[in-house]
């Protein structure tokens, strides 16, 4: 049975990833900042026993190392770096940027997926699939940026893409793949109610892309429909 580790599993896209992977018979290591407050996830884990809950603030490197220790010799087929924050807002825009907040957005959106990959590489190497997935955003694309703004978010996702592209090259020789995925604009707390795509549709699409992954696709940038995206 395959195992997926999902960050930010308590709500939004992370929660739907847990739901769909567990329904498909996978073991799901569902990570979130406060498992004791994650009532929906707890209820899901009761209904779908393949899910286990783990405390993880992805910005805290000691917690990442502790989790790796707790997992011992377990194999992780897919490391799903999903947790993310937007960070931008009207009061936090050019002219009054909160630079500490910008660094925090980078810690969560950019540094954490790399630190997780670094720390959990032995677990990934032990698995059949050996895949690292980064949930990025088309907002990190230079080519697609025609509206400006969102400096914190755009820059953190562009940097995530650059880091993951390098990882794809660096890890290819060890048979480890890296997939860079845009989930679409999705109805979640982050995406808002005007988003055209449901979490169910986005996750079903991304699972299909993940399922069909071969090393030939490593380091490439796709959306949830499997269409290649511009950097
Ligand atoms: N929704 C969209 O339209 C859209 C579009 C493009 C890309 N994305 C990307 O998709 C991913 C998921 O987004 P979403 O729409 O599901 O957002 P969301 O509804 O706001 O959920 C964000 C998740 O990330 C978690 N998180 C934030 N900071 C964390 C930290 N330091 N440690 C651990 N978990 C943390 C949150 O946990 P808490 O509950 O503890 O805050 C929550 O589970 C993000 O990477 C986002 O950038 C989303």
């Amino acid at each position: 049975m395959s195992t997926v580790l999902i960050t930010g599993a308590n709500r939004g896209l992370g929660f739907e990833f847990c739901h769909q992977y567990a329904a498909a018979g996978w073991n799901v290591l569902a990570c979130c900042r406060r498992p004791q407050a994650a009532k929906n996830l707890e209820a899901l884990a009761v209904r779908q026993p393949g899910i286990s809950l783990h405390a993880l603030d992805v910005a805290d490197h000691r917690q990442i190392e502790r989790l790796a220790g707790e997992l011992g010799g377990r194999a992780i087929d897919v490391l799903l770096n999903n947790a993310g924050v937007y960070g931008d807002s009207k009061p936090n825009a050019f002219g009054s940027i909160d630079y500490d907040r910008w660094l925090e957005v980078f810690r969560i959106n950019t540094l954490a997926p790399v630190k997780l990959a670094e720390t959990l590489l032995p677990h990934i190497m032990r698995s059949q699939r050996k895949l690292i997935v980064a949930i990025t955003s088309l907002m990190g694309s230079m080519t697609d940026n025609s509206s400006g703004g969102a400096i914190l978010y755009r820059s953190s996702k562009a940097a995530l893409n650059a880091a993951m592209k390098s990882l794809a090259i660096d890890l290819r020789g060890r048979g480890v793949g890296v997939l860079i995925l845009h989930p679409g604009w999705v109805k979640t707390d982050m995406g808002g109610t005007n988003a055209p795509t449901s979490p169910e549709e986005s996750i079903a699409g991304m699972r299909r892309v993940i399922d069909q992954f071969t090393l030939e696709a490593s380091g490439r940038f796709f959306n949830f429909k499997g269409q290649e995206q511009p950097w």
Side-chain angles (χ1 to χ4, degrees), residues 170-192:
D170 298 346
L171 297 178
R172 197 187 181 93
R174 295 197 240 180
V176 176
V178 179
L179 197 45
I180 302 163
L181 286 181
H182 168 54
W185 180 20
V186 193
K187 276 189 191 70
T188 61
D189 292 339
M190 188 186 291

Side-chain angles (χ1 to χ4, degrees), residues 65-199:
E65 283 154 12
R66 197 180 316 138
L67 175 66
E70 280 165 22
L71 294 176
R74 277 192 81 163
I76 297 173
D77 288 273
V78 179
L79 165 61
L80 227 161
N81 287 298
N82 164 77
V85 288
Y86 191 67
D88 296 276
S89 61
K90 276 213 175 105
N92 186 15
F94 184 73
S96 57
I97 292 175
D98 177 342
Y99 286 90
D100 288 332
R101 179 66 182 146
W102 195 352
L103 287 173
E104 185 60 16
V105 170
F106 256 79
R107 255 181 226 112
I108 296 167
N109 291 0
T110 315
L111 275 59
V114 176
K115 174 65 182 172
L116 275 152
E118 228 184 353
T119 311
L120 295 174
L121 188 62
H123 300 77
I124 296 164
M125 298 277 298
R126 238 173 251 135
S127 75
Q128 290 282 317
R129 294 183 192 241
K130 299 184 181 54
L131 179 60
I132 296 163
V133 178
I135 304 301
T136 185
S137 171
L138 191 56
M139 289 185 71
S141 165
M142 309 296 161
T143 308
D144 185 70
N145 187 356
S146 56
S147 55
I151 290 175
L152 281 62
Y153 188 68
R154 287 187 190 282
S155 62
S156 71
K157 292 295 191 181
L160 171 67
N161 293 352
M164 288 294 148
K165 175 75 189 181
S166 273
L167 271 194
I169 295 164
D170 298 346
L171 297 178
R172 197 187 181 93
R174 295 197 240 180
V176 176
V178 179
L179 197 45
I180 302 163
L181 286 181
H182 168 54
W185 180 20
V186 193
K187 276 189 191 70
T188 61
D189 292 339
M190 188 186 291
T193 49
N194 288 332
T197 310
S198 69

